[in-house]
Amino acid sequence: MRNIKIFFMSVLFLLSTIVYALDEVNMNQNNFQNFLDDFISKVELKEEQLNRAVWILETTGSKDAASLVGSLSSELKILFSDKDIYEKIVSFNKEEEIDPLLKRQIHILINAFKGNMLPKEILHEISTKEAALNQIYANFRAKIDGKVYSENSLRDILRKEKSVDLRKKAWDASKIVGIELAPKIVELAHLRNKAANNLGYQNYFEMMLDLSDINKIKLLKTFDDLKNKTDESFNKILLHVNETLSNEFKVSLDEIGPWAYKDPFCQMDPIETSKLNELFQDKDLLKISKSFYEQMGFKVDDLIDGSDLYERDGKNQHAFCISVNRKKDVRTLNNIKPNVQWMETLLHEFGHGIYDLEIDENLPWLLREHPHILTTEAIALLMGRQVYTKEFLRDFLDVKDEKIFNEVENGLKRRQLFFSRSAFMITEFEAKMYEDPNQDLNTLWWDLYEKYYNSPRPKDREDKADWAAKYHVGLAPVYYYSYLLGEVFASTLQKQLLDVAKDDNIWKKDAAIFLKDKMFSHGSKYRWDQLIENVLDSPFSIDDWVEECSR
Ligand SMILES: [Zn+2]
């Protein structure tokens, strides 16, 4: 009897699992779509609330807004850490013949969920540690001879100061924050690796690339190619730059070090002409940007109205663009000053803005976004860099001086080459740091500097932690590579758009129509590399960037 009872019980159990399994299999596309709509409506609402709070925080610095941002972002995270929902999505994904648009949404969802499928303690520990790091960065003020300097004033010294002594002090002061941050970033790297291991990845670097649809081997190979194909050009320019700076600062050539360049991380054009800045001194940058985009046929009035454009106390001092609701509410934050950097930045942020505004509103919510940060960066970088073309200076500032034309174009090339070295360096640094966070990271940092900048490391840095002073290493990890891929894609686009516009500049309606139809409107319908292939009618290529840099 006993056995029979057990037998019946197991039959019942077996039946119920079969029924359950059948139910899963039969959950057809419509059912899944209904379930998805329900889930996405919650995400949509939460994301919009979060974006509105972020906007208030960044434009006012309000403490209430900061705590609201904190709670809304964890509520959003909680939505993406529901294991039952994740499993439902993964299991539906095994079905054959899923509609491609739905398949793409599922892929995006799985990537979004995967990074959150971790024990709650790990997630909590990571976000607590990141918040603490953020706090240190935000409150850090560099000191020179006991006097406090803001980040902007340090950068000003590196941009303009002639005194070698003060430049060296400013460069050194910009790195001090690293010493305090380094042990905390190492702890965080271990935690991030633990999270990645938990999900079956070798380390955090590999996980982050995989969840952004980037093939690590291909990426590193692309970066090697970019370096090898432009090294000759870089070395030639480096020599010219160092000779120019050694004359300017009256020091011998071998004394030139990172302190002599225009920014703490050797990314800008190190010998940018001050004449360029003077051109913008008395100009209305907003009017120029509006006219630039309107010539292309983009409507930017609402974007401008919704934006917060000028400096104010309590406001974020940098710049960004935010799509509040993945519809028409797109805003930018800027702190416009009449100089070339802000001209570039304004065109850059509005570039993100027009991309967001032109995404097809009829696409499902999940697809109303760029497929990868690199595609939107490519557009923003492409628009921003127009400032450094003679055609822009001619059309928008009425400049006729041939000497300035040559200077800006050489400057753009120098900037591409110096910036790329920094992107190579940071990317390889991150790859190696996550392989072994316990190694001597400061030695690694300067080894890579020597490799990529083909310059000797500066003296007396042995007991420092210069790598940790770079914001992205701690707080925007595995991100830097996107900027360089964006630059590379921007160069290909520039060439393509000139062909489309049949002119010597890209601020033409035909160029804009091309971008809207071939790229912006599709949102995330395709993976980033497929989108690029559709836009160019050929795969992602480095040739145009390499050509521009070696011209
Ligand atoms: Zn950007």
Side-chain angles (χ1 to χ4, degrees), residues 425 440-452 455 457:
M425 181 175 162
D440 178 350
L441 293 169
N442 203 49
T443 297
L444 172 64
W445 180 256
W446 289 113
D447 283 349
L448 293 173
Y449 176 80
E450 293 191 339
K451 170 176 172 185
Y452 288 114
S455 306
R457 66 186 70 210

Side-chain angles (χ1 to χ4, degrees), residues 279-280 282-283 288 291 295 343 387 389-402 404-405 507:
L279 291 177
F280 292 90
D282 53 354
K283 296 291 184 297
I288 296 174
S291 153
Q295 288 196 32
M343 183 76 257
V387 178
T389 64
K390 63 179 177 198
E391 292 80 14
F392 184 90
L393 300 181
R394 177 196 69 198
D395 288 5
F396 295 97
L397 284 98
D398 205 21
V399 176
K400 296 186 178 77
D401 187 346
E402 282 292 329
I404 290 189
F405 290 161
W507 37 98

Side-chain angles (χ1 to χ4, degrees), residues 12-145:
L12 265 176
F13 176 73
L14 202 68
L15 269 175
S16 66
T17 38
I18 290 171
V19 170
Y20 178 71
L22 275 175
D23 182 44
E24 285 290 288
V25 173
N26 287 344
M27 188 170 76
N28 61 29
Q29 205 145 300
N30 280 341
N31 286 344
F32 185 78
Q33 189 67 57
N34 289 340
F35 148 78
L36 192 63
D37 290 347
D38 182 50
F39 174 69
I40 293 301
S41 68
K42 290 179 195 144
V43 175
E44 186 177 351
L45 182 67
K46 200 56 71 190
E47 191 189 89
E48 182 170 347
Q49 289 172 337
L50 172 63
N51 287 341
R52 290 188 187 283
V54 165
W55 183 253
I56 297 171
L57 170 63
E58 301 296 350
T59 54
T60 65
S62 139
K63 272 195 182 145
D64 286 349
S67 84
L68 193 58
V69 166
S71 47
L72 287 169
S73 52
S74 56
E75 281 169 36
L76 188 60
K77 226 176 192 164
I78 288 167
L79 283 175
F80 284 103
S81 47
D82 187 321
K83 217 167 179 175
D84 290 343
I85 294 183
Y86 177 62
E87 277 163 8
K88 213 166 184 167
I89 298 167
V90 171
S91 112
F92 183 75
N93 196 32
K94 290 178 189 136
E95 299 274 308
E96 282 163 24
E97 295 181 37
I98 302 176
D99 163 67
L101 219 54
L102 187 56
K103 187 94 187 159
R104 178 73 191 141
Q105 292 173 75
I106 291 170
H107 177 75
I108 292 172
L109 273 176
I110 289 177
N111 277 357
F113 267 93
K114 207 168 178 183
N116 289 309
M117 288 299 111
L118 290 164
K120 292 255 175 318
E121 315 83 67
I122 299 189
L123 283 175
H124 181 71
E125 225 183 322
I126 290 178
S127 56
T128 313
K129 287 213 156 48
E130 284 177 349
L133 269 189
N134 231 328
Q135 201 76 6
I136 299 174
Y137 265 112
N139 295 328
F140 174 77
R141 291 290 176 274
K143 282 185 191 156
I144 301 177
D145 298 331

